Amino acid sequence: PHAYSRARATGTWQFIYRTGVRYGLRADSWIDERRDPEKSTIAAAKYLKDLYDRFNDWHLAAAGYNAGEGKIGRAIKRYRTEDFWEMSRQRYLKSETKNYVPKMIAAALISKNPAEYGFEHVRYEDPILFDTVVMQGPTDLRVAAQCIGVGYEVLKGLNPELLTWVTPPNAPDYQLKVPQGTAELFQVRY
């Protein structure tokens, strides 16, 4: 969730600020939901679907996700083609975008049958399980951690969208993620 590109994209799905906001991800000095794995995944799926709806082609949708839909729209006009592979032979698209689409295809193929591609011993991680508690106002994460008997780092890890040590003061009903099974204990102690 803390990946950050030179284009100022951040999070697992590498949203730039404007696109993140367009897909409902809040980003300010307190919180950056582009780093929230759940919210950003939903936003990324919606964005990719919108790109597919616009271009009616998964290759162009993936290229648009990487380069921006405007860039792909201009490439279509410039080269008078809706064939990504034809476009990628030209100079207009950056090599990053030209390579992005084949890498996505490769990742999809490998994920369907890892052993066929030499990934026999993949150890999958368990899902991160958590409960949520609604915070009515700003709360110090150290205090929240003490309420449930975990370290501050545990709460920071579950809430990578938080940019500071406190829940956002201007977010009534902020949902703080806490380790699974600790929501009731938190409510009692808090």
Coordinates of all heavy atoms in Angstrom, one line a residue, residues 29-103:
S29 N -4.4 15.6 3.9 CA -3.2 15.5 4.8 C -3.4 14.5 5.9 O -2.5 14.1 6.6 CB -2.9 16.9 5.4 OG -4.0 17.4 6.0
W30 N -4.7 13.9 6.1 CA -4.9 13.0 7.1 C -5.0 11.5 6.7 O -4.7 10.6 7.4 CB -6.3 13.3 7.8 CG -6.2 14.6 8.5 CD1 -6.6 15.9 8.1 CD2 -5.7 14.9 9.8 NE1 -6.4 16.8 9.0 CE2 -5.8 16.3 10.1 CE3 -5.1 14.1 10.8 CZ2 -5.4 16.9 11.3 CZ3 -4.7 14.7 12.0 CH2 -4.8 16.0 12.2
I31 N -5.6 11.4 5.4 CA -5.9 10.1 5.0 C -5.7 10.0 3.4 O -5.9 11.0 2.7 CB -7.4 9.7 5.3 CG1 -7.7 8.3 5.0 CG2 -8.3 10.6 4.6 CD1 -9.1 7.9 5.6
D32 N -5.2 8.8 3.0 CA -5.1 8.6 1.5 C -5.6 7.2 1.2 O -4.9 6.2 1.4 CB -3.6 8.7 1.1 CG -3.4 8.7 -0.4 OD1 -4.4 8.3 -1.1 OD2 -2.4 9.2 -0.8
E33 N -6.9 7.2 0.8 CA -7.6 5.9 0.6 C -7.0 5.2 -0.7 O -7.4 4.0 -0.9 CB -9.1 6.2 0.4 CG -9.7 6.6 1.8 CD -11.2 6.8 1.7 OE1 -11.7 7.2 0.6 OE2 -11.8 6.7 2.8
R34 N -6.1 5.8 -1.4 CA -5.5 5.0 -2.5 C -4.6 3.9 -1.9 O -4.3 2.9 -2.5 CB -4.6 6.0 -3.3 CG -5.4 7.1 -4.1 CD -4.5 8.0 -4.8 NE -3.6 8.7 -3.8 CZ -2.6 9.5 -4.2 NH1 -2.3 9.6 -5.5 NH2 -1.9 10.1 -3.3
R35 N -4.3 4.0 -0.6 CA -3.5 3.0 0.1 C -4.4 2.0 0.8 O -3.9 1.1 1.4 CB -2.6 3.7 1.1 CG -1.6 4.6 0.5 CD -0.7 5.2 1.5 NE 0.4 6.0 0.9 CZ 1.3 6.6 1.5 NH1 1.4 6.5 2.8 NH2 2.3 7.2 0.9
D36 N -5.7 2.2 0.8 CA -6.6 1.3 1.5 C -6.8 0.1 0.5 O -7.4 0.3 -0.6 CB -7.9 1.9 1.8 CG -8.9 1.0 2.5 OD1 -9.2 -0.1 1.9 OD2 -9.5 1.4 3.5
P37 N -6.4 -1.1 0.8 CA -6.4 -2.2 -0.1 C -7.9 -2.5 -0.6 O -8.0 -2.8 -1.8 CB -5.9 -3.4 0.7 CG -5.0 -2.8 1.7 CD -5.7 -1.5 2.1
E38 N -8.8 -2.5 0.3 CA -10.2 -2.8 -0.1 C -10.8 -1.7 -1.0 O -11.3 -2.0 -2.1 CB -11.0 -3.0 1.1 CG -12.3 -3.8 0.9 CD -13.0 -4.2 2.2 OE1 -12.3 -4.9 3.0 OE2 -14.1 -3.8 2.4
K39 N -10.8 -0.5 -0.5 CA -11.4 0.6 -1.3 C -10.7 0.9 -2.6 O -11.3 1.1 -3.6 CB -11.3 1.9 -0.4 CG -12.3 1.9 0.7 CD -12.2 3.2 1.5 CE -13.2 3.1 2.7 NZ -13.1 4.3 3.5
S40 N -9.4 0.8 -2.6 CA -8.7 1.0 -3.9 C -8.9 -0.1 -4.9 O -8.9 0.1 -6.1 CB -7.2 1.2 -3.6 OG -6.5 0.1 -3.1
T41 N -9.1 -1.4 -4.4 CA -9.3 -2.5 -5.3 C -10.7 -2.3 -6.0 O -10.8 -2.5 -7.2 CB -9.3 -3.8 -4.6 OG1 -7.9 -4.0 -4.1 CG2 -9.6 -5.0 -5.5
I42 N -11.7 -1.9 -5.2 CA -13.0 -1.6 -5.8 C -12.9 -0.5 -6.8 O -13.5 -0.6 -7.9 CB -14.0 -1.3 -4.6 CG1 -14.3 -2.6 -3.8 CG2 -15.3 -0.8 -5.2 CD1 -15.0 -2.3 -2.5
A43 N -12.2 0.6 -6.4 CA -12.0 1.7 -7.4 C -11.3 1.3 -8.6 O -11.7 1.7 -9.7 CB -11.3 2.8 -6.7
A44 N -10.3 0.4 -8.5 CA -9.5 0.0 -9.7 C -10.4 -0.9 -10.6 O -10.3 -0.7 -11.8 CB -8.3 -0.8 -9.2
A45 N -11.2 -1.7 -10.0 CA -12.1 -2.6 -10.8 C -13.1 -1.7 -11.6 O -13.4 -1.9 -12.8 CB -12.8 -3.6 -9.9
K46 N -13.6 -0.7 -10.9 CA -14.6 0.2 -11.6 C -13.9 1.0 -12.7 O -14.5 1.2 -13.8 CB -15.2 1.2 -10.6 CG -16.2 0.6 -9.6 CD -16.7 1.6 -8.6 CE -17.7 1.0 -7.6 NZ -18.1 1.9 -6.6
Y47 N -12.7 1.5 -12.4 CA -11.9 2.2 -13.4 C -11.6 1.3 -14.6 O -11.9 1.7 -15.8 CB -10.6 2.7 -12.8 CG -9.8 3.6 -13.7 CD1 -10.3 4.5 -14.7 CD2 -8.4 3.6 -13.6 CE1 -9.5 5.3 -15.5 CE2 -7.6 4.4 -14.4 CZ -8.2 5.2 -15.4 OH -7.4 6.0 -16.2
L48 N -11.2 0.1 -14.4 CA -10.9 -0.8 -15.5 C -12.2 -1.1 -16.3 O -12.1 -1.2 -17.5 CB -10.2 -2.1 -15.0 CG -9.5 -2.9 -16.0 CD1 -8.5 -2.1 -16.8 CD2 -8.8 -4.1 -15.3
K49 N -13.3 -1.3 -15.6 CA -14.5 -1.5 -16.3 C -14.9 -0.3 -17.2 O -15.4 -0.5 -18.3 CB -15.7 -1.9 -15.3 CG -17.0 -2.1 -16.0 CD -18.1 -2.2 -15.1 CE -19.5 -2.5 -15.7 NZ -19.8 -1.5 -16.8
D50 N -14.8 0.9 -16.6 CA -15.1 2.1 -17.4 C -14.2 2.2 -18.6 O -14.6 2.6 -19.7 CB -15.0 3.3 -16.5 CG -16.1 3.5 -15.5 OD1 -17.1 2.7 -15.6 OD2 -16.0 4.3 -14.6
L51 N -12.9 1.8 -18.4 CA -12.0 1.9 -19.6 C -12.4 0.9 -20.6 O -12.4 1.1 -21.8 CB -10.6 1.6 -19.1 CG -9.9 2.7 -18.3 CD1 -8.7 2.2 -17.7 CD2 -9.6 3.9 -19.2
Y52 N -12.8 -0.3 -20.2 CA -13.3 -1.3 -21.2 C -14.6 -0.8 -21.9 O -14.7 -1.0 -23.1 CB -13.6 -2.7 -20.5 CG -14.1 -3.7 -21.5 CD1 -13.2 -4.3 -22.3 CD2 -15.5 -3.9 -21.6 CE1 -13.7 -5.2 -23.3 CE2 -16.0 -4.8 -22.5 CZ -15.1 -5.4 -23.4 OH -15.6 -6.3 -24.3
D53 N -15.5 -0.2 -21.1 CA -16.7 0.3 -21.7 C -16.4 1.4 -22.7 O -17.1 1.5 -23.8 CB -17.6 0.9 -20.6 CG -18.3 -0.2 -19.8 OD1 -18.2 -1.4 -20.1 OD2 -18.8 0.1 -18.7
R54 N -15.4 2.2 -22.5 CA -15.0 3.2 -23.4 C -14.3 2.7 -24.7 O -14.6 3.1 -25.8 CB -14.0 4.2 -22.7 CG -13.5 5.3 -23.7 CD -12.7 6.3 -23.0 NE -12.2 7.3 -24.0 CZ -11.5 8.3 -23.7 NH1 -11.3 8.6 -22.4 NH2 -11.1 9.2 -24.6
F55 N -13.4 1.7 -24.5 CA -12.6 1.3 -25.6 C -13.1 -0.1 -26.2 O -12.7 -0.5 -27.3 CB -11.1 1.1 -25.2 CG -10.5 2.4 -24.9 CD1 -9.9 2.6 -23.6 CD2 -10.4 3.4 -25.8 CE1 -9.3 3.8 -23.2 CE2 -9.8 4.6 -25.4 CZ -9.3 4.8 -24.2
N56 N -13.9 -0.8 -25.5 CA -14.5 -2.1 -25.9 C -13.4 -3.1 -26.3 O -13.5 -3.9 -27.2 CB -15.4 -1.9 -27.1 CG -16.4 -3.1 -27.2 OD1 -16.7 -3.7 -26.2 ND2 -16.8 -3.4 -28.4
D57 N -12.3 -3.0 -25.5 CA -11.1 -3.9 -25.8 C -10.3 -3.9 -24.5 O -9.9 -2.9 -24.0 CB -10.3 -3.3 -26.9 CG -9.1 -4.1 -27.2 OD1 -8.0 -3.9 -26.6 OD2 -9.2 -5.0 -28.1
W58 N -10.0 -5.1 -24.0 CA -9.2 -5.3 -22.8 C -7.8 -4.8 -22.9 O -7.2 -4.3 -22.0 CB -9.3 -6.7 -22.2 CG -10.6 -7.0 -21.6 CD1 -11.5 -7.9 -22.1 CD2 -11.2 -6.4 -20.5 NE1 -12.6 -7.9 -21.2 CE2 -12.4 -7.0 -20.2 CE3 -10.7 -5.4 -19.6 CZ2 -13.3 -6.6 -19.2 CZ3 -11.6 -5.0 -18.5 CH2 -12.8 -5.7 -18.3
H59 N -7.2 -5.0 -24.1 CA -5.8 -4.5 -24.2 C -5.7 -3.0 -24.1 O -4.9 -2.4 -23.5 CB -5.2 -5.0 -25.6 CG -5.2 -6.4 -25.7 ND1 -5.7 -7.1 -26.8 CD2 -4.6 -7.4 -25.0 CE1 -5.5 -8.4 -26.7 NE2 -4.9 -8.6 -25.6
L60 N -6.7 -2.3 -24.8 CA -6.7 -0.8 -24.7 C -7.1 -0.4 -23.3 O -6.6 0.7 -22.8 CB -7.7 -0.3 -25.8 CG -7.3 -0.5 -27.2 CD1 -8.3 0.0 -28.2 CD2 -5.9 0.2 -27.5
A61 N -8.0 -1.1 -22.7 CA -8.4 -0.8 -21.3 C -7.2 -0.8 -20.4 O -6.9 0.1 -19.6 CB -9.5 -1.7 -20.8
A62 N -6.4 -1.9 -20.5 CA -5.2 -2.0 -19.7 C -4.2 -0.9 -20.0 O -3.6 -0.3 -19.1 CB -4.6 -3.4 -19.9
A63 N -4.0 -0.6 -21.3 CA -3.1 0.4 -21.7 C -3.6 1.8 -21.1 O -2.8 2.6 -20.6 CB -3.0 0.5 -23.2
G64 N -4.9 2.0 -21.1 CA -5.5 3.2 -20.6 C -5.3 3.3 -19.1 O -5.1 4.4 -18.6
Y65 N -5.3 2.2 -18.4 CA -5.1 2.2 -17.0 C -3.7 2.7 -16.7 O -3.5 3.4 -15.7 CB -5.3 0.8 -16.4 CG -5.4 0.8 -14.9 CD1 -6.6 0.8 -14.2 CD2 -4.2 0.8 -14.1 CE1 -6.6 0.8 -12.8 CE2 -4.2 0.8 -12.8 CZ -5.4 0.8 -12.1 OH -5.5 0.8 -10.7
N66 N -2.7 2.3 -17.5 CA -1.3 2.6 -17.3 C -1.0 4.0 -17.8 O -0.4 4.8 -17.0 CB -0.4 1.6 -18.0 CG 1.0 1.9 -17.8 OD1 1.7 2.5 -18.7 ND2 1.5 1.6 -16.6
A67 N -1.4 4.4 -19.0 CA -1.0 5.6 -19.6 C -2.1 6.8 -19.4 O -1.8 7.9 -19.6 CB -0.8 5.4 -21.1
G68 N -3.3 6.4 -19.1 CA -4.4 7.3 -19.0 C -5.3 7.2 -20.3 O -4.8 7.0 -21.4
E69 N -6.6 7.3 -20.1 CA -7.5 7.1 -21.2 C -7.3 8.2 -22.3 O -7.5 7.9 -23.5 CB -8.9 7.1 -20.7 CG -9.5 8.3 -20.0 CD -9.4 8.2 -18.5 OE1 -8.5 7.5 -18.0 OE2 -10.2 8.8 -17.9
G70 N -6.9 9.4 -21.9 CA -6.7 10.5 -22.9 C -5.6 10.1 -23.8 O -5.7 10.3 -25.1
K71 N -4.5 9.6 -23.3 CA -3.3 9.2 -24.1 C -3.7 8.1 -25.1 O -3.4 8.1 -26.3 CB -2.2 8.7 -23.2 CG -1.0 8.2 -23.9 CD 0.0 9.4 -24.1 CE 1.3 8.9 -24.6 NZ 2.2 10.0 -24.8
I72 N -4.5 7.1 -24.7 CA -4.9 6.0 -25.6 C -5.9 6.5 -26.6 O -5.8 6.2 -27.8 CB -5.5 4.8 -24.8 CG1 -4.5 4.3 -23.8 CG2 -6.0 3.7 -25.7 CD1 -3.1 3.9 -24.4
G73 N -6.8 7.4 -26.2 CA -7.7 8.0 -27.2 C -7.0 8.8 -28.2 O -7.3 8.7 -29.4
R74 N -5.9 9.5 -27.8 CA -5.2 10.3 -28.8 C -4.4 9.3 -29.7 O -4.2 9.6 -30.9 CB -4.2 11.2 -28.1 CG -4.9 12.4 -27.5 CD -4.0 13.5 -27.0 NE -3.2 13.0 -25.9 CZ -3.5 13.0 -24.6 NH1 -4.8 13.4 -24.2 NH2 -2.7 12.5 -23.6
A75 N -3.9 8.2 -29.2 CA -3.2 7.2 -30.0 C -4.1 6.6 -31.0 O -3.7 6.4 -32.2 CB -2.6 6.1 -29.1
I76 N -5.3 6.3 -30.7 CA -6.3 5.8 -31.6 C -6.5 6.7 -32.8 O -6.5 6.3 -33.9 CB -7.7 5.5 -30.9 CG1 -7.5 4.3 -30.0 CG2 -8.8 5.2 -31.9 CD1 -8.7 4.0 -29.0
K77 N -6.7 8.0 -32.5 CA -6.9 9.0 -33.5 C -5.6 9.2 -34.4 O -5.7 9.3 -35.6 CB -7.3 10.4 -32.9 CG -8.7 10.4 -32.4 CD -9.0 11.8 -31.8 CE -10.4 11.7 -31.2 NZ -10.7 13.0 -30.5
R78 N -4.5 9.3 -33.7 CA -3.2 9.5 -34.4 C -2.9 8.4 -35.4 O -2.5 8.6 -36.5 CB -2.1 9.6 -33.4 CG -0.7 9.8 -34.0 CD 0.4 9.9 -33.0 NE 0.4 11.2 -32.5 CZ 1.4 11.8 -31.9 NH1 2.6 11.1 -31.8 NH2 1.4 13.0 -31.5
Y79 N -3.1 7.1 -35.0 CA -2.7 6.0 -35.8 C -3.9 5.3 -36.5 O -3.7 4.4 -37.3 CB -2.0 4.9 -35.0 CG -0.7 5.5 -34.4 CD1 -0.5 5.6 -33.1 CD2 0.3 6.0 -35.3 CE1 0.7 6.2 -32.5 CE2 1.5 6.5 -34.8 CZ 1.7 6.6 -33.4 OH 2.8 7.2 -32.9
R80 N -5.1 5.9 -36.3 CA -6.3 5.4 -36.9 C -6.5 3.9 -36.8 O -6.8 3.2 -37.7 CB -6.4 5.8 -38.4 CG -6.4 7.3 -38.6 CD -6.6 7.6 -40.1 NE -6.6 9.1 -40.2 CZ -5.7 9.7 -40.8 NH1 -4.7 9.1 -41.4 NH2 -5.7 11.0 -40.9
T81 N -6.2 3.4 -35.5 CA -6.4 2.0 -35.2 C -6.8 1.8 -33.8 O -6.5 2.7 -33.0 CB -5.1 1.2 -35.5 OG1 -5.4 -0.2 -35.3 CG2 -4.0 1.7 -34.6
E82 N -7.6 0.8 -33.6 CA -8.0 0.4 -32.2 C -7.3 -0.9 -31.8 O -7.7 -1.6 -30.9 CB -9.5 0.3 -32.1 CG -10.2 1.6 -32.3 CD -11.7 1.5 -32.2 OE1 -12.2 0.5 -31.9 OE2 -12.3 2.6 -32.4
D83 N -6.2 -1.2 -32.5 CA -5.4 -2.4 -32.2 C -4.2 -2.0 -31.4 O -3.3 -1.3 -31.9 CB -5.0 -3.0 -33.6 CG -4.2 -4.3 -33.4 OD1 -3.6 -4.5 -32.3 OD2 -4.1 -5.1 -34.4
F84 N -4.2 -2.4 -30.1 CA -3.1 -2.1 -29.2 C -1.8 -2.5 -29.8 O -0.8 -1.8 -29.7 CB -3.3 -2.7 -27.8 CG -2.1 -2.6 -27.0 CD1 -1.8 -1.3 -26.4 CD2 -1.2 -3.6 -26.8 CE1 -0.6 -1.2 -25.6 CE2 -0.1 -3.5 -26.1 CZ 0.2 -2.3 -25.5
W85 N -1.7 -3.7 -30.4 CA -0.4 -4.2 -30.8 C 0.1 -3.4 -32.0 O 1.3 -3.2 -32.1 CB -0.6 -5.7 -31.2 CG -1.2 -6.5 -30.1 CD1 -2.4 -7.0 -30.0 CD2 -0.5 -6.8 -28.8 NE1 -2.6 -7.6 -28.8 CE2 -1.4 -7.5 -28.0 CE3 0.7 -6.5 -28.3 CZ2 -1.1 -7.9 -26.7 CZ3 1.1 -6.9 -27.0 CH2 0.1 -7.6 -26.3
E86 N -0.8 -2.9 -32.9 CA -0.4 -2.0 -33.9 C 0.1 -0.7 -33.4 O 1.2 -0.2 -33.8 CB -1.5 -1.8 -34.9 CG -1.2 -0.9 -36.1 CD -0.1 -1.5 -37.0 OE1 -0.1 -2.7 -37.2 OE2 0.7 -0.7 -37.5
M87 N -0.6 -0.2 -32.4 CA -0.2 1.1 -31.7 C 1.2 1.0 -31.1 O 2.0 1.9 -31.1 CB -1.2 1.4 -30.6 CG -2.1 2.6 -30.9 SD -3.1 2.7 -29.4 CE -4.7 2.4 -30.2
S88 N 1.4 -0.2 -30.5 CA 2.6 -0.4 -29.7 C 3.9 -0.5 -30.6 O 5.0 -0.3 -30.1 CB 2.5 -1.6 -28.8 OG 2.5 -2.8 -29.5
R89 N 3.7 -0.6 -31.9 CA 4.8 -0.6 -32.8 C 5.3 0.8 -33.1 O 6.3 1.0 -33.7 CB 4.4 -1.3 -34.1 CG 4.3 -2.8 -33.9 CD 4.0 -3.5 -35.3 NE 3.6 -4.9 -35.0 CZ 2.4 -5.3 -35.2 NH1 1.4 -4.5 -35.6 NH2 2.1 -6.6 -34.9
Q90 N 4.4 1.8 -32.8 CA 4.7 3.2 -33.1 C 5.5 3.8 -31.9 O 5.7 3.2 -30.8 CB 3.4 3.9 -33.4 CG 2.5 3.3 -34.4 CD 3.2 3.1 -35.8 OE1 4.0 4.0 -36.2 NE2 2.9 2.1 -36.5
R91 N 5.8 5.1 -32.0 CA 6.6 5.7 -31.0 C 5.8 6.5 -29.9 O 6.4 6.9 -28.9 CB 7.6 6.8 -31.7 CG 8.5 6.1 -32.6 CD 9.3 7.1 -33.3 NE 10.6 7.2 -32.7 CZ 11.6 8.0 -33.1 NH1 11.4 8.9 -34.1 NH2 12.7 8.0 -32.4
Y92 N 4.5 6.7 -30.2 CA 3.8 7.6 -29.3 C 3.6 7.1 -27.9 O 3.8 7.8 -26.9 CB 2.4 7.8 -29.9 CG 1.5 8.8 -29.2 CD1 1.9 10.1 -29.0 CD2 0.3 8.4 -28.6 CE1 1.1 11.0 -28.3 CE2 -0.5 9.2 -27.9 CZ -0.1 10.6 -27.8 OH -0.9 11.4 -27.1
L93 N 3.4 5.8 -27.7 CA 3.2 5.2 -26.4 C 4.6 5.0 -25.7 O 5.5 4.5 -26.4 CB 2.4 3.9 -26.4 CG 1.0 4.0 -26.9 CD1 0.4 2.6 -26.9 CD2 0.2 4.9 -26.0
K94 N 4.7 5.2 -24.5 CA 6.0 5.0 -23.8 C 6.2 3.5 -23.6 O 5.2 2.7 -23.6 CB 6.0 5.6 -22.4 CG 6.0 7.1 -22.4 CD 6.0 7.7 -21.0 CE 6.1 9.2 -21.1 NZ 6.1 9.8 -19.8
S95 N 7.4 3.0 -23.5 CA 7.7 1.6 -23.4 C 7.1 1.0 -22.2 O 6.7 -0.1 -22.1 CB 9.2 1.4 -23.4 OG 9.8 2.0 -22.3
E96 N 6.9 1.8 -21.1 CA 6.2 1.3 -19.9 C 4.8 0.8 -20.2 O 4.4 -0.3 -19.8 CB 6.1 2.5 -18.9 CG 5.4 2.1 -17.6 CD 5.2 3.2 -16.6 OE1 6.1 4.1 -16.6 OE2 4.2 3.2 -16.0
T97 N 4.1 1.6 -21.0 CA 2.7 1.2 -21.4 C 2.8 0.0 -22.4 O 2.0 -0.9 -22.3 CB 2.0 2.4 -22.0 OG1 1.9 3.4 -21.1 CG2 0.6 2.0 -22.4
K98 N 3.7 0.1 -23.4 CA 3.9 -1.0 -24.3 C 4.1 -2.3 -23.6 O 3.7 -3.4 -24.1 CB 5.0 -0.7 -25.3 CG 4.7 0.4 -26.3 CD 5.9 0.7 -27.1 CE 5.7 1.9 -28.0 NZ 6.8 2.2 -28.9
N99 N 4.9 -2.3 -22.5 CA 5.2 -3.5 -21.8 C 4.1 -3.9 -20.7 O 4.1 -5.0 -20.3 CB 6.5 -3.4 -21.1 CG 7.7 -3.3 -22.1 OD1 7.6 -3.9 -23.2 ND2 8.7 -2.5 -21.8
Y100 N 3.3 -2.9 -20.3 CA 2.3 -3.1 -19.3 C 1.3 -4.2 -19.7 O 1.0 -5.1 -18.9 CB 1.7 -1.8 -19.0 CG 0.7 -1.8 -17.8 CD1 1.2 -1.8 -16.5 CD2 -0.7 -1.9 -18.0 CE1 0.3 -1.7 -15.4 CE2 -1.5 -1.9 -16.9 CZ -1.0 -1.8 -15.6 OH -1.9 -1.8 -14.6
V101 N 0.8 -4.1 -20.9 CA -0.3 -5.0 -21.4 C 0.2 -6.4 -21.5 O -0.4 -7.3 -20.9 CB -0.8 -4.5 -22.7 CG1 -1.8 -5.5 -23.3 CG2 -1.5 -3.1 -22.5
P102 N 1.4 -6.7 -22.1 CA 1.9 -8.1 -22.1 C 2.1 -8.6 -20.7 O 1.9 -9.8 -20.4 CB 3.1 -8.0 -22.9 CG 3.1 -6.8 -23.6 CD 2.2 -5.8 -22.9
K103 N 2.6 -7.7 -19.8 CA 2.8 -8.2 -18.4 C 1.5 -8.5 -17.7 O 1.5 -9.5 -16.9 CB 3.6 -7.1 -17.6 CG 5.0 -6.9 -18.0 CD 5.7 -5.8 -17.2 CE 7.1 -5.6 -17.5 NZ 7.7 -4.5 -16.8

